[in-house]
Amino acid sequence: MERTFLMVKPDAVQRGLMGDIVSRFEKKGLKLIAMRFMLIPKAKAEEHYGEHKGKKFYDPLISYITSGPVLAMVWEGEDAVSVCRNMMGKTNPKESAPGTVRGDYGMQTGRNIIHGSDSPASAEREISIFFEPEDIVVYARTADQWVYE
């Protein structure tokens, strides 16, 4: 099983979309193994988005992601990274298909509802920024026999 990091961004929190977003991933069959509702400190935001430092959207991105609470999560499942990326939709919500999180709720790239790791390596790095190993809950879920063969 693969793990991925997802974050419901401040715009979605303010719009009251957390429950619906979490529900989509849970209904898909992914297993939630860690969750934290938090205000991201600036230093943690800079670490998380470090690869974008120097780009023109970097400072506005840091201001935005630290402007209100987020819901940080770790999900587990078969090919979790690619499954979640498909469910999220394209970075630009206007290009996202209906039925995706961004396609259903987003209008602009700068307010695109959700972040998700783009590779297993990114997932591992991002999970370690927001969670300690003891925050990850390893458990057997009886419903998994109805999700996976």
Side-chain angles (χ1 to χ4, degrees), residues 21-39:
I21 292 169
V22 170
S23 178
R24 287 173 180 237
F25 293 96
E26 194 171 41
K27 288 176 183 175
K28 179 70 173 176
L30 294 157
K31 182 167 63 171
L32 182 62
I33 59 172
M35 178 185 285
R36 175 172 289 137
F37 188 61
M38 64 185 294
L39 290 168

Side-chain angles (χ1 to χ4, degrees), residues 2-8 34 36 38 40 44 48-49 70-76 80-81 84-85 88 114-120 122-131:
E2 187 173 77
R3 291 178 178 175
T4 194
F5 174 77
L6 297 181
M7 177 174 31
V8 177
R36 175 172 289 137
M38 64 185 294
I40 302 177
K44 192 175 288 282
H48 178 68
Y49 287 117
V70 302
L71 184 63
M73 302 171 285
V74 181
W75 290 88
E76 187 175 74
V81 171
C84 289
R85 297 287 296 176
M88 289 173 14
I114 191 168
H115 166 85
S117 301
D118 61 6
S119 69
S122 291
E124 188 175 323
R125 182 184 73 80
E126 293 172 342
I127 290 167
S128 73
I129 292 170
F130 290 91
F131 296 95

